[in-house]
Amino acid sequence: MSEDLRKLHEMVERVKHDEEVAIRYMRIWEEEERIVARAKEEGREEGREEGREEGETVRLLHMIQRKVSRGKDLTEIAEELEDTEESIRPLYEAVQKYGVDYAAEDIYKAMREKAL
């Protein structure tokens, strides 16, 4: 074993048996575990929020499809949904493009792909 390697080995052995180093290591490890757990929870919450938003958009698309199938225009639909024409226009235009028989979920997916 070379002299440098022997010194390194001795240092590693001293650190392994140093209680203060072990405590510091455990504290660092615990903090990293808390950070990872927090990041996972934040990711799950973001996923839940995206799911809620997707569900609401799909629900609106479905409602607009039903109203379009009854011959209603953008102005009438906005009034009935108690919303503005500007806010539902993209959904209305997507329904016009894909039709009332196209699944609302598929329209939503197409809109998202186009936005990306």
Side-chain angles (χ1 to χ4, degrees):
M1 180 181 311
S2 75
E3 182 64 22
D4 289 337
L5 189 55
R6 187 185 61 72
K7 287 179 182 179
L8 180 62
H9 180 69
E10 288 174 3
M11 189 168 55
V12 168
E13 287 301 313
R14 279 195 307 265
V15 168
K16 281 175 149 180
H17 299 291
D18 187 334
E19 191 173 321
E20 184 179 323
V21 171
I23 291 170
R24 279 190 288 177
Y25 172 79
M26 287 305 296
R27 287 182 179 152
I28 291 169
W29 181 81
E30 289 170 348
E31 180 61 23
E32 287 176 353
E33 287 295 307
R34 282 191 291 274
I35 290 168
V36 168
R38 240 187 333 251
K40 285 180 180 179
E41 181 55 35
E42 288 172 4
R44 283 190 288 272
E45 183 55 39
E46 286 177 19
R48 285 189 288 269
E49 180 61 30
E50 288 176 9
R52 285 189 288 272
E53 289 173 9
E54 178 180 340
E56 177 63 19
T57 301
V58 168
R59 188 179 70 77
L60 278 171
L61 281 165
H62 185 68
M63 290 169 53
I64 292 169
Q65 282 179 305
R66 284 194 321 237
K67 293 177 184 305
V68 167
S69 71
R70 293 182 185 129
K72 299 192 179 194
D73 64 17
L74 177 61
T75 302
E76 292 173 300
I77 294 171
E79 286 175 12
E80 289 180 10
L81 295 177
E82 298 179 1
D83 209 333
T84 65
E85 289 182 30
E86 293 78 29
S87 69
I88 67 165
R89 183 180 310 279
L91 303 176
Y92 176 81
E93 289 174 352
V95 168
Q96 291 291 328
K97 178 179 179 180
Y98 293 102
V100 297
D101 295 325
Y102 205 72
E105 294 85 0
D106 293 335
I107 295 174
Y108 175 79
K109 287 176 188 173
M111 290 175 69
R112 278 191 49 115
E113 287 173 6
K114 183 180 177 186
L116 299 177

Short mmCIF file of all heavy atoms in Angstrom, two decimals, residues 28-55:
data_model
loop_
_atom_site.label_atom_id
_atom_site.label_comp_id
_atom_site.label_asym_id
_atom_site.label_seq_id
_atom_site.Cartn_x
_atom_site.Cartn_y
_atom_site.Cartn_z
N ILE A 28 -27.16 15.81 8.71
CA ILE A 28 -27.19 16.14 7.29
C ILE A 28 -28.11 15.18 6.55
O ILE A 28 -28.95 15.59 5.74
CB ILE A 28 -25.77 16.13 6.68
CG1 ILE A 28 -24.95 17.30 7.23
CG2 ILE A 28 -25.83 16.17 5.16
CD1 ILE A 28 -23.47 17.22 6.91
N TRP A 29 -27.99 13.90 6.86
CA TRP A 29 -28.83 12.89 6.21
C TRP A 29 -30.30 13.14 6.53
O TRP A 29 -31.15 13.09 5.64
CB TRP A 29 -28.41 11.50 6.68
CG TRP A 29 -29.20 10.40 6.06
CD1 TRP A 29 -29.02 9.86 4.83
CD2 TRP A 29 -30.32 9.73 6.63
NE1 TRP A 29 -29.96 8.88 4.59
CE2 TRP A 29 -30.77 8.79 5.69
CE3 TRP A 29 -30.98 9.83 7.86
CZ2 TRP A 29 -31.85 7.96 5.93
CZ3 TRP A 29 -32.06 9.01 8.10
CH2 TRP A 29 -32.48 8.07 7.13
N GLU A 30 -30.64 13.43 7.79
CA GLU A 30 -32.03 13.71 8.17
C GLU A 30 -32.56 14.94 7.45
O GLU A 30 -33.70 14.95 7.00
CB GLU A 30 -32.14 13.88 9.68
CG GLU A 30 -31.96 12.58 10.45
CD GLU A 30 -31.84 12.78 11.95
OE1 GLU A 30 -31.66 13.94 12.40
OE2 GLU A 30 -31.91 11.78 12.67
N GLU A 31 -31.75 15.98 7.33
CA GLU A 31 -32.18 17.20 6.64
C GLU A 31 -32.43 16.91 5.16
O GLU A 31 -33.41 17.36 4.58
CB GLU A 31 -31.15 18.31 6.80
CG GLU A 31 -31.52 19.60 6.09
CD GLU A 31 -32.81 20.22 6.60
OE1 GLU A 31 -33.24 19.95 7.73
OE2 GLU A 31 -33.42 21.00 5.82
N GLU A 32 -31.55 16.11 4.55
CA GLU A 32 -31.76 15.74 3.15
C GLU A 32 -33.04 14.94 2.99
O GLU A 32 -33.78 15.13 2.02
CB GLU A 32 -30.56 14.95 2.63
CG GLU A 32 -29.33 15.80 2.40
CD GLU A 32 -28.11 15.01 1.97
OE1 GLU A 32 -28.16 13.76 1.98
OE2 GLU A 32 -27.11 15.65 1.64
N GLU A 33 -33.32 14.06 3.93
CA GLU A 33 -34.57 13.29 3.89
C GLU A 33 -35.79 14.21 3.98
O GLU A 33 -36.78 14.01 3.29
CB GLU A 33 -34.61 12.24 5.02
CG GLU A 33 -33.68 11.08 4.78
CD GLU A 33 -34.08 10.26 3.57
OE1 GLU A 33 -35.24 9.83 3.48
OE2 GLU A 33 -33.21 10.06 2.70
N ARG A 34 -35.73 15.22 4.85
CA ARG A 34 -36.84 16.18 4.97
C ARG A 34 -37.01 16.97 3.67
O ARG A 34 -38.14 17.20 3.23
CB ARG A 34 -36.60 17.13 6.15
CG ARG A 34 -36.90 16.52 7.50
CD ARG A 34 -36.92 17.59 8.60
NE ARG A 34 -35.60 18.13 8.88
CZ ARG A 34 -34.72 17.60 9.72
NH1 ARG A 34 -35.01 16.50 10.37
NH2 ARG A 34 -33.55 18.17 9.91
N ILE A 35 -35.91 17.35 3.06
CA ILE A 35 -35.98 18.10 1.80
C ILE A 35 -36.63 17.25 0.72
O ILE A 35 -37.51 17.71 -0.01
CB ILE A 35 -34.57 18.58 1.37
CG1 ILE A 35 -34.08 19.67 2.31
CG2 ILE A 35 -34.58 19.06 -0.08
CD1 ILE A 35 -32.60 20.01 2.16
N VAL A 36 -36.22 15.99 0.63
CA VAL A 36 -36.79 15.08 -0.37
C VAL A 36 -38.28 14.87 -0.12
O VAL A 36 -39.09 14.92 -1.04
CB VAL A 36 -36.03 13.73 -0.37
CG1 VAL A 36 -36.77 12.68 -1.18
CG2 VAL A 36 -34.62 13.92 -0.92
N ALA A 37 -38.66 14.67 1.14
CA ALA A 37 -40.07 14.47 1.48
C ALA A 37 -40.89 15.70 1.13
O ALA A 37 -42.00 15.59 0.58
CB ALA A 37 -40.22 14.14 2.97
N ARG A 38 -40.36 16.88 1.42
CA ARG A 38 -41.06 18.13 1.09
C ARG A 38 -41.23 18.26 -0.42
O ARG A 38 -42.29 18.64 -0.91
CB ARG A 38 -40.27 19.32 1.63
CG ARG A 38 -41.03 20.16 2.62
CD ARG A 38 -40.30 21.43 3.03
NE ARG A 38 -38.86 21.40 2.95
CZ ARG A 38 -38.03 21.37 3.99
NH1 ARG A 38 -38.49 21.36 5.20
NH2 ARG A 38 -36.72 21.34 3.80
N ALA A 39 -40.18 17.95 -1.16
CA ALA A 39 -40.25 18.05 -2.63
C ALA A 39 -41.27 17.08 -3.19
O ALA A 39 -42.03 17.44 -4.10
CB ALA A 39 -38.87 17.78 -3.23
N LYS A 40 -41.33 15.88 -2.64
CA LYS A 40 -42.32 14.90 -3.10
C LYS A 40 -43.74 15.40 -2.84
O LYS A 40 -44.61 15.29 -3.70
CB LYS A 40 -42.12 13.56 -2.42
CG LYS A 40 -40.93 12.78 -2.93
CD LYS A 40 -40.79 11.45 -2.20
CE LYS A 40 -39.61 10.66 -2.69
NZ LYS A 40 -39.46 9.39 -1.95
N GLU A 41 -43.98 15.95 -1.66
CA GLU A 41 -45.31 16.45 -1.32
C GLU A 41 -45.69 17.63 -2.23
O GLU A 41 -46.82 17.72 -2.69
CB GLU A 41 -45.38 16.87 0.15
CG GLU A 41 -46.75 17.37 0.56
CD GLU A 41 -47.89 16.41 0.27
OE1 GLU A 41 -47.69 15.18 0.37
OE2 GLU A 41 -48.99 16.88 -0.07
N GLU A 42 -44.73 18.51 -2.48
CA GLU A 42 -45.01 19.63 -3.38
C GLU A 42 -45.35 19.12 -4.78
O GLU A 42 -46.25 19.64 -5.43
CB GLU A 42 -43.81 20.58 -3.44
CG GLU A 42 -43.63 21.39 -2.17
CD GLU A 42 -42.33 22.18 -2.14
OE1 GLU A 42 -41.58 22.17 -3.16
OE2 GLU A 42 -42.05 22.80 -1.11
N GLY A 43 -44.65 18.10 -5.23
CA GLY A 43 -44.93 17.51 -6.54
C GLY A 43 -46.32 16.90 -6.58
O GLY A 43 -47.05 17.05 -7.56
N ARG A 44 -46.69 16.19 -5.51
CA ARG A 44 -48.03 15.61 -5.46
C ARG A 44 -49.10 16.70 -5.47
O ARG A 44 -50.11 16.58 -6.16
CB ARG A 44 -48.18 14.73 -4.21
CG ARG A 44 -47.52 13.37 -4.35
CD ARG A 44 -47.90 12.44 -3.21
NE ARG A 44 -47.29 12.82 -1.95
CZ ARG A 44 -46.11 12.43 -1.53
NH1 ARG A 44 -45.38 11.63 -2.28
NH2 ARG A 44 -45.63 12.82 -0.36
N GLU A 45 -48.88 17.78 -4.72
CA GLU A 45 -49.85 18.87 -4.67
C GLU A 45 -49.99 19.53 -6.04
O GLU A 45 -51.10 19.84 -6.47
CB GLU A 45 -49.46 19.90 -3.61
CG GLU A 45 -50.47 21.02 -3.45
CD GLU A 45 -51.88 20.55 -3.16
OE1 GLU A 45 -52.06 19.57 -2.40
OE2 GLU A 45 -52.83 21.15 -3.70
N GLU A 46 -48.87 19.72 -6.73
CA GLU A 46 -48.93 20.29 -8.08
C GLU A 46 -49.73 19.37 -9.01
O GLU A 46 -50.53 19.84 -9.81
CB GLU A 46 -47.51 20.48 -8.66
CG GLU A 46 -46.77 21.64 -8.06
CD GLU A 46 -45.35 21.75 -8.60
OE1 GLU A 46 -45.05 21.18 -9.68
OE2 GLU A 46 -44.53 22.40 -7.93
N GLY A 47 -49.52 18.08 -8.88
CA GLY A 47 -50.26 17.11 -9.69
C GLY A 47 -51.75 17.16 -9.40
O GLY A 47 -52.58 17.11 -10.31
N ARG A 48 -52.10 17.26 -8.11
CA ARG A 48 -53.53 17.36 -7.75
C ARG A 48 -54.14 18.63 -8.33
O ARG A 48 -55.26 18.60 -8.86
CB ARG A 48 -53.70 17.32 -6.23
CG ARG A 48 -53.49 15.93 -5.63
CD ARG A 48 -53.88 15.90 -4.17
NE ARG A 48 -52.95 16.58 -3.31
CZ ARG A 48 -51.91 16.03 -2.70
NH1 ARG A 48 -51.65 14.76 -2.88
NH2 ARG A 48 -51.13 16.74 -1.93
N GLU A 49 -53.43 19.73 -8.24
CA GLU A 49 -53.93 21.01 -8.76
C GLU A 49 -54.13 20.93 -10.27
O GLU A 49 -55.15 21.36 -10.80
CB GLU A 49 -52.98 22.15 -8.41
CG GLU A 49 -53.43 23.51 -8.91
CD GLU A 49 -54.77 23.97 -8.35
OE1 GLU A 49 -55.12 23.60 -7.22
OE2 GLU A 49 -55.47 24.71 -9.07
N GLU A 50 -53.15 20.36 -10.97
CA GLU A 50 -53.29 20.19 -12.42
C GLU A 50 -54.49 19.31 -12.75
O GLU A 50 -55.21 19.57 -13.70
CB GLU A 50 -52.01 19.59 -13.01
CG GLU A 50 -50.86 20.55 -13.05
CD GLU A 50 -49.57 19.90 -13.55
OE1 GLU A 50 -49.61 18.75 -14.02
OE2 GLU A 50 -48.53 20.56 -13.45
N GLY A 51 -54.70 18.28 -11.96
CA GLY A 51 -55.84 17.39 -12.17
C GLY A 51 -57.16 18.11 -11.97
O GLY A 51 -58.11 17.92 -12.74
N ARG A 52 -57.23 18.95 -10.96
CA ARG A 52 -58.46 19.74 -10.73
C ARG A 52 -58.72 20.69 -11.90
O ARG A 52 -59.85 20.80 -12.37
CB ARG A 52 -58.37 20.51 -9.41
CG ARG A 52 -58.55 19.66 -8.17
CD ARG A 52 -58.66 20.51 -6.92
NE ARG A 52 -57.40 21.11 -6.52
CZ ARG A 52 -56.50 20.54 -5.73
NH1 ARG A 52 -56.72 19.34 -5.25
NH2 ARG A 52 -55.39 21.17 -5.41
N GLU A 53 -57.66 21.35 -12.35
CA GLU A 53 -57.80 22.28 -13.47
C GLU A 53 -58.24 21.55 -14.73
O GLU A 53 -59.11 22.03 -15.47
CB GLU A 53 -56.48 23.02 -13.72
CG GLU A 53 -56.15 24.02 -12.64
CD GLU A 53 -54.76 24.63 -12.82
OE1 GLU A 53 -54.11 24.39 -13.87
OE2 GLU A 53 -54.33 25.33 -11.90
N GLU A 54 -57.63 20.39 -14.98
CA GLU A 54 -58.01 19.60 -16.15
C GLU A 54 -59.47 19.19 -16.06
O GLU A 54 -60.22 19.30 -17.02
CB GLU A 54 -57.13 18.37 -16.27
CG GLU A 54 -57.50 17.49 -17.44
CD GLU A 54 -56.62 16.26 -17.57
OE1 GLU A 54 -55.51 16.24 -17.03
OE2 GLU A 54 -57.06 15.30 -18.25
N GLY A 55 -59.89 18.72 -14.89
CA GLY A 55 -61.27 18.30 -14.70
C GLY A 55 -62.25 19.43 -14.94
O GLY A 55 -63.30 19.23 -15.59
#
